[in-house]
Amino acid sequence: MVYIELELDLSSVGIFSDVLQSELCDIGFESFLDKEDGFFAYCQKDIFNQNELDSILDTFKSNNPSVDFTYVIKEIEQQDWNKEWEKSYEAVLVDDYCYVRASFHPPMNSVKYDIEISPKMSFGTAHHPTTYQIIQLLKDEDLVGKDVMDMGTGTGVLAILSKLKGARVVDAIDNDEWAFENAKENVLRNNVDVNVSLGDAKMLTMTYDLFIANINRNILLQDMPLYSKHIREGGFLILSGFYNNDVEILEKSANENNLELITHIAKENWAALRFIKKQ
Ligand SMILES: C[S@@+](CC[C@H](N)C(=O)[O-])C[C@H]1O[C@@H](n2cnc3c(N)ncnc32)[C@H](O)[C@@H]1O
């Protein structure tokens, strides 16, 4: 698959990078790699729309006149991306209990869950605050004997962790072919039994004790009724992939679908929410 790489340099990063990344998520950018003076963002070429990008940058410019930026766009082949990604890839330790690393990092025997991920193209290496926070939320989740869905599985890291934590059935779905292949590869690497499928919420059939979805605001809002339909009473929904500003609209949609917010955490302005399914 061919991707568009957007390299954006900003005169001031922090919150400004966050704001732009959130907007870019909404037009199909799915992975971000921070650098000192900005970030790289990646979008499938088929989805990329220059007019939408221009509109986001124009609005950003008028809302933030003091911030200068320049950008370069190029097409990248999967192979080039992999090499770049692997060069800059560092292992991540979450709350001293889960270590997410690549094959070229030595395992960490002192942690409870040591997960080996082939980073490649897919999102889900625990570097991003959304993945990181879901791993944090899973720390206290008792999954022994439970059924888990990981929607938008990316590398499969959350599905793999759920299985390692004792879940009974773990299903993982992604609508991107590369992520689908990558998740299957990572499941094998970690020697766990996770069913990985290519598709989206329309292919759901069974109900789950825990439903995880780290995608983006618009997809989560669109698919919330289907997610809720496939969560058992008293079961949980964990959502991430959006900013704190969007929590209200997501909570409203969840409430309309019989889900009650019980946990809200945030890191670098990215939110992660945990809901319980009511009767
Ligand atoms: C932000 S990544 C999350 C990856 C991983 N679960 C994690 O937490 O790091 C979102 C993933 O959702 C997938 N995705 C996007 N839209 C989707 C949809 N409608 N249904 C299923 N997967 C989707 C993307 O291909 C991507 O792999």
Side-chain angles (χ1 to χ4, degrees):
M1 187 180 291
V2 178
Y3 270 71
I4 295 294
E5 179 189 76
L6 165 70
E7 180 177 1
L8 200 100
D9 287 342
L10 290 156
S11 60
S12 183
V13 285
I15 186 72
F16 298 110
S17 289
D18 289 348
V19 167
L20 279 167
Q21 289 181 18
S22 168
E23 300 282 333
L24 293 171
C25 270
D26 292 341
I27 62 164
F29 281 81
E30 58 190 49
S31 310
F32 301 93
L33 194 57
D34 286 325
K35 57 182 195 131
E36 206 173 320
D37 51 357
F39 59 87
F40 294 94
Y42 298 91
C43 177
Q44 291 172 24
K45 188 185 170 196
D46 298 350
I47 297 174
F48 176 69
N49 182 318
Q50 181 72 50
N51 292 336
E52 287 178 342
L53 175 63
D54 290 343
S55 156
I56 284 174
L57 294 176
D58 287 347
T59 309
F60 178 81
K61 186 73 213 159
S62 44
N63 289 344
N64 307 282
S66 62
V67 184
D68 291 325
F69 62 83
T70 55
Y71 74 89
V72 179
I73 285 178
K74 62 180 182 202
E75 279 185 21
I76 53 165
E77 296 296 333
Q78 199 164 289
Q79 201 55 30
D80 294 340
W81 162 283
N82 293 348
K83 288 199 191 107
E84 286 308 307
W85 186 247
E86 291 188 7
K87 259 194 271 170
S88 59
Y89 185 80
E90 283 175 25
V92 178
L93 177 63
V94 182
D95 287 358
D96 285 335
Y97 98 105
C98 180
Y99 189 57
V100 184
R101 62 175 176 87
S103 57
F104 46 86
H105 300 120
M108 188 183 275
N109 297 322
S110 55
V111 289
K112 195 155 185 192
Y113 303 107
D114 178 85
I115 300 179
E116 183 185 316
I117 291 295
S118 161
K120 298 198 175 160
M121 193 65 168
S122 311
F123 193 110
T125 54
H127 290 90
H128 197 271
T130 57
T131 318
Y132 189 96
Q133 292 187 100
I134 295 182
I135 294 176
Q136 287 186 309
L137 289 176
L138 289 178
K139 182 176 180 184
D140 296 324
E141 203 79 40
D142 176 9
L143 294 184
V144 177
K146 304 281 173 61
D147 296 337
V148 178
M149 160 55 60
D150 179 21
M151 182 61 70
T153 194
T155 60
V157 61
L158 303 174
I160 292 166
L161 176 60
S162 299
K163 192 68 197 180
L164 292 174
K165 281 179 68 75
R168 190 176 73 101
V169 171
V170 180
D171 294 331
I173 295 179
D174 203 290
N175 71 348
D176 175 71
E177 205 166 329
W178 178 253
F180 165 66
E181 293 298 339
N182 184 230
K184 281 197 297 186
E185 180 189 338
N186 289 324
V187 161
L188 283 178
R189 270 173 196 271
N190 290 276
N191 201 18
V192 288
D193 181 14
V194 170
N195 312 306
V196 185
S197 307
L198 180 62
D200 57 27
K202 290 190 281 301
M203 71 191 302
L204 289 165
T205 51
M206 63 177 270
T207 55
Y208 297 90
D209 301 298
L210 173 66
F211 196 115
I212 305 167
N214 176 10
I215 307 187
N216 63 49
R217 186 192 67 165
N218 292 349
I219 299 286
L220 298 177
L221 288 173
Q222 172 198 291
D223 288 344
M224 190 81 76
L226 275 173
Y227 296 170
S228 178
K229 192 174 155 204
H230 292 274
I231 301 170
R232 294 177 189 146
E233 257 176 52
F236 298 96
L237 171 67
I238 292 181
L239 296 182
S240 195
F242 47 88
Y243 281 92
N244 265 323
N245 293 349
D246 292 322
V247 168
E248 203 177 321
I249 189 172
L250 280 151
E251 185 180 1
K252 182 168 177 287
S253 162
N255 290 162
E256 285 162 7
N257 287 283
N258 237 9
L259 294 152
E260 188 182 317
L261 183 61
I262 46 174
T263 315
H264 172 188
I265 56 172
K267 184 174 191 287
E268 295 163 33
N269 207 26
W270 290 93
L273 307 176
R274 182 165 166 269
F275 298 87
I276 188 163
K277 173 86 180 276
K278 296 185 293 182
Q279 288 190 333

